[in-house]
Amino acid sequence: MGSTPEELEARLLSTLQDAGPIADSGEFASAQGVDHGRVVGIVKSLQSDGLVSSEGTEHASFELTDEGAGYREAGSPEAQVWNDIPAEGVPVTHALLTSPMGRIGQSKGLAKKWLYMDKSSPEARVKRKVDSISDTTQEQLIKISQGQHQDIPAKELADLKKRKMIRDVKRFTYRVTKGPEFALQRRKAATDLTADMLVKGTWKEEKFKAYNFNALGQPPAGGHLHPLLKVRTQFRKIFTQMGFQEMPTNAFVESSFWNFDALFQPQQHPARDAHDTFFLTHPARAPISHVPEDYLERVRNVHERGGYSSTGYGTPWKVAEAEKNLLRTHTTAVSSRMLYKLAQSGFQPAKYFSIDRVFRNEAVDRTHLAEFHQIEGVVCDVGLTLGHLIGILKLFFTRLGLPKLRFKPAYNPYTEPSMEIFSYSEELKKWIEVGNSGMFRPEMLRPMGLPENVNVIAWGLGLERPTMILYGIDNIRDLFGHKVNLSMVKRNPICRLGF
Ligand code: FB9
């Protein structure tokens, strides 16, 4: 007799009214043919509104395991096997007997003398021994699910437990009586004192819902910073605390001139073909006229013939190549623009940083996407050396909590010498690559007009790796991109970099 919570609630209250206290909520449940759990739920909620009172008694009880619940529905294994065996029986190799449930059913069926083994034929057959059975096991499981295990012999209960059909549970049943606010029907407690109540004075007999001061308020709807942006903020803090100013990186589309040529990256360099770089079709070209003619000629010159103690590449340098628009492959393109501006505006020592998206047409894997956030630091001053670079890298990475650094010679078209940076991560208990660095080549700086004695040291790293490490994210797709589950963005903790 399916019943809605309201119906069951009304029946419980009318029982209290008509028949007095309910001695055992378990009995009330089976009398109503409903699960005891539902009755307990209603008693608890009526109690919270004062309509009823209850005191619980703990009983050592049993509940069905999932397996037991299955047999309550379908019958015990032995009963199922007995039911499915045809009059002529089945050979012992029959699927009915060889499945996990079939094997149990056969052995129990034989033990209960419901079945017998007919060895008269070459291949033994299992046959019914009796014409009818009563599946006491199933009946017991039904009783137990209704909390009525009292009249099941302890030995049988122990056997059901051994057969992993039931398990011990502590069960509470309740003695239910009328409560201080008893009524045959729950009157919805008012949650608001309305003007209407005040005007009509009905608030006097109104029953107001108690304030639940422990209730968690509505989480303030608001924005959530993506972990990447939280870590970016930390990096920004470190740079600004070290006296660096942020470079304007809001233009993802760049011309090949500033992304490659200004950095003395040869026009034949493999990175300059579409395998590595996203070139634009519309607009395909950035008219080179935006580059001052004299500077352009100096760049052509150094690529073709060198100068500034460089041999150059000795290959023809084509304006058309330099005009190609692309999605910047590194924020070093912004550094080249800033350094040119610095040179043109009369050299002053400067410290710049950039943190923004760069795009590389590379194979996507667990730690690489076709776009990532590059972090770059640039220091330009008179007489800077590799020692200054190593020094500032130690300062910078110590702020990241990575004091132990190692440097490995590397190659970049625009820096010489260049170094890959490695650090020992306490978290990962291993040395990890944490970036790249170098001293910008004179072939890049001199054509810009920077004085002979000015050197520029620079380094770069990614934002994704540190964020993945700090937030324990293993696959970059879970951090960035259309597959990210937004709850991660909503629930990620604050970011504490380094100290
Ligand atoms: O970020 C990287 N690793 C890293 C950084 C910090 C970190 O912190 C943890 C909190 C503790 C952990 C790891 N890398 C650079 C190293 C690798 O992840 C590498 O596989 C991937 N690299 C990206 C490029 O991938 C194609 C990271 C990205 C990178 C590499 C080089 C530069 C910038 C970004 C550069 C440069 C540069 C060099 C000279 C002059 C100017 C800029």
Side-chain angles (χ1 to χ4, degrees):
M1 156 168 84
S3 56
T4 68
E6 290 70 26
E7 285 162 345
L8 191 53
E9 181 175 297
R11 275 210 299 279
L12 188 142
L13 292 169
S14 56
T15 307
L16 281 174
Q17 179 69 3
D18 313 340
I22 294 168
D24 181 309
S25 54
E27 279 150 22
F28 177 80
S30 39
Q32 300 294 327
V34 298
D35 235 31
H36 180 235
R38 289 188 55 204
V39 171
V40 173
I42 285 174
V43 168
K44 290 288 172 216
S45 110
L46 284 170
Q47 183 156 342
S48 68
D49 281 347
L51 278 84
V52 306
S53 307
S54 70
E55 69 259 8
T57 318
E58 181 184 279
H59 307 268
S61 174
F62 301 94
E63 69 181 3
L64 303 189
T65 60
D66 299 352
E67 206 176 340
Y71 295 141
R72 175 191 60 189
E73 297 311 316
S76 66
E78 52 272 29
Q80 291 185 49
V81 168
W82 186 87
N83 284 326
D84 300 345
I85 279 192
E88 70 282 6
V90 292
V92 285
T93 53
H94 188 286
L96 177 63
L97 302 176
T98 53
S99 69
M101 197 271 293
R103 268 204 299 286
I104 299 167
Q106 175 186 332
S107 66
K108 279 290 174 187
L110 292 167
K112 289 186 177 180
K113 308 225 172 318
W114 295 354
L115 307 169
Y116 74 98
M117 193 72 79
D118 171 4
K119 294 201 174 83
S120 61
S121 55
E123 188 191 22
R125 299 176 74 80
V126 175
K127 293 184 178 174
R128 287 183 178 182
K129 193 168 180 158
V130 291
D131 303 336
S132 69
I133 60 167
S134 81
D135 189 355
T136 44
T137 302
Q138 183 182 34
E139 286 149 22
Q140 289 165 345
L141 294 173
I142 291 168
K143 278 212 184 79
I144 289 166
S145 70
Q146 289 172 339
Q148 304 305 320
H149 65 275
Q150 290 74 4
D151 51 10
I152 300 173
K155 194 182 102 22
E156 310 242 335
L157 286 170
D159 183 47
L160 289 174
K161 223 169 22 172
K162 198 153 68 33
R163 296 183 72 179
K164 296 195 177 24
M165 293 183 178
I166 66 172
R167 69 169 76 84
D168 295 306
V169 283
K170 298 251 169 308
R171 204 167 71 82
F172 275 82
T173 62
Y174 297 84
R175 173 174 156 54
V176 187
T177 55
K178 284 183 180 177
E181 316 270 337
F182 179 81
L184 278 172
Q185 186 152 27
R186 190 200 302 252
R187 207 151 59 84
K188 206 143 177 33
T191 52
D192 280 329
L193 175 61
T194 62
D196 190 48
M197 290 174 186
L198 291 170
V199 172
K200 295 201 187 94
T202 56
W203 60 271
K204 292 194 194 76
E205 54 276 344
E206 198 47 77
K207 194 175 114 42
F208 287 94
K209 191 166 175 36
Y211 274 106
N212 169 2
F213 293 106
N214 306 323
L216 286 179
Q218 273 294 338
H224 301 272
L225 265 184
H226 184 288
L228 272 173
L229 300 184
K230 289 181 179 174
V231 179
R232 180 181 70 175
T233 306
Q234 294 293 314
F235 275 103
R236 276 201 170 126
K237 259 208 206 110
I238 291 171
F239 274 114
T240 39
Q241 282 159 2
M242 292 172 72
F244 283 69
Q245 75 185 84
E246 184 157 14
M247 295 186 258
T249 56
N250 52 347
F252 292 175
V253 175
E254 184 56 277
S255 78
S256 293
F257 181 84
W258 294 106
N259 195 85
F260 290 126
D261 296 286
L263 298 173
F264 193 57
Q265 188 144 351
Q267 294 195 332
Q268 303 73 17
H269 191 284
R272 294 184 70 158
D273 68 28
H275 297 107
D276 287 351
T277 298
F278 295 108
F279 287 96
L280 268 66
T281 53
H282 295 83
R285 326 186 66 72
I288 204 69
S289 54
H290 79 284
V291 177
E293 185 57 33
D294 63 333
Y295 173 43
L296 181 77
E297 283 319 309
R298 288 197 297 275
V299 170
R300 172 203 305 282
N301 218 18
V302 77
H303 276 253
E304 290 183 344
R305 284 177 291 284
Y308 325 108
S309 67
S310 167
T311 61
Y313 298 118
T315 51
W317 184 82
K318 296 192 269 325
V319 165
E321 189 61 36
E323 287 185 327
K324 287 183 181 168
N325 274 330
L326 45 80
L327 293 182
R328 64 174 175 222
T329 61
H330 48 197
T331 56
T332 319
V334 181
S335 305
S336 62
R337 284 174 176 275
M338 290 298 286
L339 290 170
Y340 178 69
K341 215 181 275 167
L342 184 67
Q344 296 307 306
S345 58
F347 171 72
Q348 294 293 320
K351 295 195 281 190
Y352 298 130
F353 79 92
S354 60
I355 307 177
D356 213 327
R357 282 197 205 185
V358 298
F359 308 85
R360 297 190 184 173
N361 188 358
E362 275 170 355
V364 171
D365 64 21
R366 188 182 61 74
T367 57
H368 287 82
L369 290 174
E371 60 184 276
F372 66 91
H373 293 76
Q374 174 170 348
I375 301 168
E376 178 150 317
V378 175
V379 181
C380 15
D381 203 345
V382 174
L384 287 180
T385 67
L386 193 65
H388 290 103
L389 176 57
I390 292 173
I392 199 153
L393 289 175
K394 288 225 163 103
L395 212 55
F396 177 79
F397 281 98
T398 301
R399 294 282 187 99
L400 285 189
L402 300 170
K404 282 196 227 131
L405 294 185
R406 279 186 187 156
F407 302 101
K408 184 175 147 215
Y411 171 80
N412 299 311
Y414 39 87
T415 51
E416 185 56 42
S418 307
M419 308 184 295
E420 271 173 4
I421 312 160
F422 293 81
S423 176
Y424 185 77
S425 161
E426 300 303 341
E427 249 127 329
L428 307 173
K429 294 281 168 277
K430 63 177 180 174
W431 284 90
I432 55 173
E433 184 193 350
V434 290
N436 193 306
S437 65
M439 300 188 68
F440 283 135
R441 300 180 71 105
E443 295 92 331
M444 169 185 170
L445 304 177
R446 300 281 98 67
M448 291 174 169
L450 285 168
E452 184 90 20
N453 59 358
V454 166
N455 274 337
V456 180
I457 55 179
W459 71 95
L461 62 156
L463 185 61
E464 281 70 14
R465 288 295 296 128
T467 307
M468 289 168 73
I469 293 170
L470 285 163
Y471 284 88
I473 294 170
D474 180 58
N475 189 315
I476 197 163
R477 293 187 191 79
D478 302 331
L479 172 71
F480 191 49
H482 63 286
K483 291 213 183 98
V484 165
N485 95 22
L486 287 183
S487 63
M488 176 277 281
V489 176
K490 288 205 172 79
R491 273 204 321 278
N492 67 76
I494 67 165
C495 159
R496 294 221 37 81
L497 254 181
F499 47 74

